[in-house]
Amino acid sequence: MLRFVIRRLLIAIPIVIAASFVVFLLVINAGTPAPVETLQSRPGHSEAALKSLKDDLGLSDPWYVRYGDWAKGVIHGDFGKDNNGRDVGPNVYRALKVTLRLVIVAELLAIGLGVTVGVVSAVRQYSWFDYTSTGFAFLFFAMPVFWFAIS
């Protein structure tokens, strides 16, 4: 069992790297304005100041250098800065705490409900409760998660 878990964790590493790479490419090509382009639309900013800001943010580097810098920062816990120059890390950590709380409560509820319904269905095999719970289990298993989440 331990070997299975270790193998799964090792498989997850390249998947997380590939997913971060795809998301990075989507974000830089999404058409959202970069901080420098937002400042260009405002009056009173010189070209030299904009070029200096672009160099400071690393926006003049090629995409692969920017991805490497971003990945190194994430590995060290530095998630970068937002468009206003504030660290993104505190927002990520705050969202992570809320997400973990939600996931842990949901998992405990799902395990408790699932085990209880499974035991009752096993004890009362072929009863209306067994057929109903099995039907709902198949329905919710087949339902896309995003559809269930929006309803």
Side-chain angles (χ1 to χ4, degrees):
M1 181 70 166
L2 182 62
R3 213 167 57 198
F4 173 77
V5 170
I6 291 171
R7 191 174 70 220
R8 288 293 178 140
L9 288 174
L10 290 176
I11 289 171
I13 292 170
I15 291 172
V16 168
I17 291 170
S20 72
F21 180 71
V22 169
V23 169
F24 183 84
L25 288 179
L26 288 173
V27 167
I28 65 172
N29 293 317
T32 56
V36 175
E37 293 169 2
T38 304
L39 287 177
Q40 279 177 329
S41 64
R42 297 180 188 159
H45 294 286
S46 68
E47 285 296 319
L50 293 174
K51 174 139 178 44
S52 172
L53 178 63
K54 200 172 186 180
D55 290 339
D56 289 345
L57 294 175
L59 297 175
S60 55
D61 295 336
W63 62 269
Y64 50 87
V65 173
R66 289 168 51 194
Y67 176 76
D69 291 342
W70 174 81
K72 280 188 251 175
V74 167
I75 289 171
H76 293 102
D78 178 19
F79 293 100
K81 299 191 181 306
D82 65 5
N83 290 346
N84 297 322
R86 295 184 303 249
D87 283 334
V88 176
N91 292 338
V92 171
Y93 295 130
R94 187 175 57 244
L96 185 63
K97 286 191 318 190
V98 172
T99 301
L100 283 176
R101 235 184 342 216
L102 180 64
V103 166
I104 289 170
V105 169
E107 285 295 321
L108 291 175
L109 183 65
I111 290 169
L113 187 64
V115 169
T116 303
V117 170
V119 168
V120 172
S121 290
V123 169
R124 299 179 183 204
Q125 193 174 14
Y126 305 117
S127 68
W128 68 270
F129 183 82
D130 182 32
Y131 287 123
T132 305
S133 62
T134 302
F136 276 115
F138 281 129
L139 174 71
F140 290 133
F141 185 71
M143 186 183 307
V145 175
F146 63 86
W147 187 87
F148 184 69
I150 62 173
S151 56

